[in-house]
Amino acid sequence: MKTLLLGDVSPTASSAPLFTAQDLSALFGDARSLFEKRDFIFVNLECALTDSENEISKFGPHLKAPKETSNVLKALGVDCCGLSNNHVFDCGIDGILDTLRALQGAGLGYTGFGKNYEDSRKNYTVEKNGERIAIVAVCEHEYSYALENRMGSRPYDEYDTMEDIRNAKKDHDRVIVIYHGGKEYSPYPSPRLHKLCHAMARNGADVVLCQHSHCIGCYEQYENCHILYGQGNFHFVRPDIERDSWHTSLAVEYDTLNHEISFVPVKEVGERGIGLAHDAEKDAIMTAFAARNQQLQNGEWKQGWHDFCQEKKDIYIKAIERACLADSTERENSRFAHYLDCEAHTDVWRELFPSYNLTNETEERAIEWNF
């Protein structure tokens, strides 16, 4: 099966009018060639498709887009939208119901969302050409995840998710895991994310794609599993953002039959669309990607992750300083609670503030072990 797996799609203030007009040429340019001759196409829908003003309480932006976005995706050839992410519930129940109606109205499948936690754990199965493929889409704990008694996105669980992968492998030829998590803007995984992706591979995943970081990360093959730590945005055009990493991504081409994977660099074009990267721009993206892949192999990625966390230290110190004081606001306390709830934030906490057990007796020295 020839599959195309894409990162975040979220119409913005600059691109939304083109989604409303369903102008595929202006929106996707020569990137439309990616969609040709595919047996299955997946995108992460990083927003609600709604007009609702019912915004949930959260930190960060509320993302919503025209309902016509579903028609655009269908016209491109998309088969399934991932809804396990931290923005699809930004407009609450009204917003997600509008989203589901828009997807169903366009004839699009979706996965990673349910009426409660157990319901959200349903996989998406693709059957074609005699093959049976499972999509397991999960997200970290940030705003939208399902609860025992409330609808939401399918959250990653260190026990249940591994069981879900094992069970999927029993009756599917391939298992593709879409993991919406990791620290935003970090081109390297945290030690926790690196370890859990390896665990997913050992439990039966054939491909693990980490999204959410808004940048291209690094790749490795472990236990015959393809792992990409950071795919970048696919169509999330923000000309106001100065980070170069925001404006590029990797489209993933995966052949389920022969287990071959390839990466196609994509970039923003102008202020409203995207296209394929060519020539020097393509070479620069892929050269930097290859260098990070090498760092993943030789261990240098750990220093890269540490340096990234150090750059964010003041943000986390401020969250600590302003929480649980006599004059702390509800929002200041909630920020601290959010940083404890979300795995990506706790990864940074652990890197910045190691416990004594991580520092006691760690100096290099020869130890004779004779008992």
Side-chain angles (χ1 to χ4, degrees):
M1 199 181 301
K2 306 290 186 182
T3 71
L4 179 67
L5 308 169
L6 302 171
D8 303 345
V9 171
S10 184
T12 60
S14 60
S15 65
L18 293 179
F19 277 92
T20 300
Q22 302 179 48
D23 190 340
L24 273 64
S25 178
L27 283 169
F28 296 94
D30 64 356
R32 287 177 295 170
S33 63
L34 289 169
F35 296 82
E36 298 173 357
K37 299 179 180 178
R38 303 291 177 181
D39 297 305
F40 175 72
I41 300 173
F42 173 95
V43 302
N44 173 57
L45 183 62
E46 184 82 349
C47 61
L49 305 183
T50 184
D51 299 320
S52 173
E53 300 294 332
N54 181 33
E55 297 182 342
I56 63 170
S57 299
K58 62 174 292 186
F59 296 97
H62 294 80
L63 302 182
K64 65 181 183 179
K67 298 176 184 178
E68 292 85 356
T69 301
S70 60
N71 297 326
V72 170
L73 297 178
K74 182 64 176 180
L76 284 170
V78 171
D79 297 288
C80 178
C81 293
L83 303 184
S84 187
N85 59 62
N86 58 308
H87 283 289
V88 74
F89 201 62
D90 277 2
C91 292
I93 292 175
D94 292 340
I96 189 60
L97 293 180
D98 284 345
T99 303
L100 298 181
R101 293 187 189 104
L103 296 179
Q104 292 171 349
L108 286 168
Y110 65 87
T111 189
F113 200 92
K115 60 186 178 182
N116 53 44
Y117 173 66
E118 287 301 326
D119 187 56
S120 75
R121 292 174 65 188
K122 296 176 182 177
N123 302 327
Y124 188 90
T125 296
V126 188
E127 295 187 77
K128 202 172 279 190
N129 305 330
E131 293 183 87
R132 185 174 166 86
I133 311 302
I135 307 295
V136 180
V138 297
C139 64
E140 291 185 348
H141 291 70
E142 192 169 13
Y143 306 121
S144 65
Y145 61 95
L147 304 176
E148 296 298 334
N149 60 351
R150 194 206 65 202
M151 65 172 63
S153 295
R154 179 183 189 173
Y156 164 75
D157 182 90
E158 59 188 312
Y159 307 108
D160 291 344
T161 300
M162 297 304 171
E163 180 183 16
D164 292 344
I165 293 171
R166 290 195 302 273
N167 288 338
K169 190 65 173 179
K170 292 176 183 177
D171 56 3
H172 292 80
D173 299 293
R174 300 289 184 191
V175 177
I176 299 171
V177 178
I178 309 296
Y179 182 90
H180 198 86
K183 190 68 182 77
E184 289 177 309
Y185 311 124
S186 173
Y188 306 100
S190 68
R192 177 197 62 87
L193 181 57
H194 185 255
K195 186 174 182 179
L196 82 81
C197 287
H198 281 197
M200 287 177 171
R202 291 192 299 273
N203 278 276
D206 296 285
V207 175
V208 178
L209 299 183
C210 299
Q211 301 177 342
H212 176 67
S213 63
H214 303 303
C215 67
I216 299 172
C218 40
Y219 162 82
E220 67 176 337
Q221 190 167 3
Y222 171 80
E223 296 280 335
N224 204 35
C225 175
H226 300 289
I227 304 175
L228 178 61
Y229 302 96
Q231 190 172 358
N233 302 318
F234 181 62
H235 203 300
F236 202 149
V237 180
R238 289 284 304 274
D240 58 310
I241 292 181
E242 297 182 355
R243 295 175 182 271
D244 291 339
S245 59
W246 179 280
H247 308 291
T248 60
S249 72
L250 295 178
V252 174
E253 300 174 317
Y254 175 55
D255 189 323
T256 61
L257 189 60
N258 60 29
H259 194 47
E260 292 182 354
I261 199 166
S262 59
F263 307 103
V264 181
V266 177
K267 53 165 281 186
E268 287 184 12
V269 176
E271 296 188 350
R272 300 199 290 177
I274 65 170
L276 300 178
H278 296 283
D279 303 326
E281 288 181 314
K282 177 180 179 180
D283 291 342
I285 293 170
M286 298 308 290
T287 297
F289 181 52
R292 289 191 298 275
N293 299 345
Q294 182 60 36
Q295 290 177 311
L296 199 62
Q297 295 302 314
N298 64 24
E300 292 178 3
W301 67 275
K302 295 179 181 179
Q303 186 62 48
W305 164 252
H306 180 78
D307 292 344
F308 172 85
C309 292
Q310 287 294 326
E311 294 174 2
K312 307 297 180 183
K313 190 170 186 176
D314 288 347
I315 297 173
Y316 288 83
I317 289 177
K318 184 177 180 180
I320 297 173
E321 290 177 334
R322 288 305 310 157
C324 303
L325 302 176
D327 62 344
S328 294
T329 66
E330 179 184 354
R331 191 162 178 82
E332 288 170 332
N333 288 334
S334 294
R335 182 184 295 277
F336 182 65
H338 168 56
Y339 280 7
L340 292 178
D341 188 32
C342 177
E343 293 90 338
H345 288 302
T346 58
D347 288 346
V348 179
W349 285 124
R350 292 188 177 102
E351 188 69 27
L352 292 175
F353 307 105
S355 68
Y356 280 142
N357 191 58
L358 300 179
T359 57
N360 284 334
E361 298 282 10
T362 58
E363 66 273 15
E364 292 185 9
R365 62 190 236 186
I367 300 176
E368 184 176 354
W369 183 277
N370 291 319
F371 287 96

